[in-house]
Amino acid sequence: MLKHKFTFLLLISMTIGILAACSSNEVDGDGDGKIKIIAAHNQTSPDNPYQVGMLKFKEVAERESNGSIEVEVHAGTIGTEESQLVEKLQLGAADVVLVSPGFMTQTGIREVDLFSAPYLFTSYDHWLNVVDGEIGKEMGDIINEKSNNSFKLLGYWSAGVRHYYGKKPLNAVEDLQGVSLRTQTSGVVSDFWEATGAIPSGISWGELYQGLQQDVVDSSENAYPFFVQQSHHTTPNGKYITETGHDYTTRFLLINGEKFDQYSEEQQEILLKAAEESVKAERDATNAQDVEYKEKAIEEGATVNEIDTQPFIDIARPILEDFAKEIEVEELLQKIVDLE
């Protein structure tokens, strides 16, 4: 009897030890104090600013930790759709991801969609003053609180200034009547484009080149580094670029907050420093590539024209105000407007 009791207690002790080791491995990798970070974005081009930012994150984290933090960067390899990355972050299949406000709203955090609203920002400096100031901090707190710490904001990346490109140039808002345009098909972005007369299309980013090539969609909108790297400007329905400048684009660099809280204080400081350096590297790369890829597009046969954006702004403003009221961020919107 005593022998059986001893065996039983030994089994319990071994089980507890295994469970403790497994729990430790979730954070420490091999139980030796090392951690592995899976960092991902949805762009597949190795020259993309997102990749520049993620590689800087990796470089700093691994250097500052003397190799005790390993960062594995995925450029579209675990998801070319942001919805996939958000899901992986929630499930723990990824630790750090880059996502847009529109896809963040799928998690129920509607407030973030304010940052995707057309003509919310009047200039790059205006955008910087918002995201790097008290408003940016406030939005980060909202994300963390509303996600119950599933998401912790590490920093704001830029995705450039978004413009229209299509099968014909725009000389006035009226030129958008009946034009199918690849963009968000719901929310404030969709409401804006519908108000201009365009027809939003939900064709995926990965299928957009073929869609423009084969006349599935008439046009799209994005920043130079992103659509030129994908050669959209070389298609019949992407060669005419009109600089609408409708969005100084915001992207959220997120980490799983629950995992972050399990790291040591030193590891947390290193990851925050890596994130800070990645923000600077990604923004610098985006700004440089905005110029570089505009020139490349023109060299490769694209036509670029400017347009009076005031009629677009006049359409966007009441939609923005109604939207802010709907998602209960009227005070936040006013703070942003006051920084113009």
Side-chain angles (χ1 to χ4, degrees), residues 109-123:
I109 311 173
R110 295 204 66 194
E111 293 89 341
V112 297
D113 210 14
L114 178 65
F115 279 5
S116 68
Y119 295 106
L120 174 66
F121 303 110
T122 58
S123 66

Side-chain angles (χ1 to χ4, degrees), residues 142 213 277:
I142 290 172
Q213 185 73 32
E277 291 294 318

Side-chain angles (χ1 to χ4, degrees), residues 289-308:
Q289 288 188 17
D290 254 339
V291 176
E292 175 188 349
Y293 282 98
K294 176 179 177 178
E295 293 173 352
K296 179 178 174 64
I298 294 171
E299 289 171 1
E300 294 180 350
T303 300
V304 178
N305 73 293
E306 296 181 355
I307 192 171
D308 178 11

Side-chain angles (χ1 to χ4, degrees), residues 134-171:
E134 287 301 314
I135 299 171
K137 183 180 183 301
E138 184 176 346
M139 186 63 77
D141 291 341
I142 290 172
I143 290 171
N144 188 249
E145 180 182 344
K146 290 291 182 75
S147 70
N148 293 317
N149 201 30
S150 289
F151 309 131
K152 176 181 176 62
L153 181 74
L154 291 177
Y156 293 97
W157 285 12
S158 167
V161 187
R162 295 174 83 99
H163 304 295
Y164 165 93
Y165 56 99
K167 68 195 305 181
K168 63 179 183 179
L170 301 181
N171 295 302

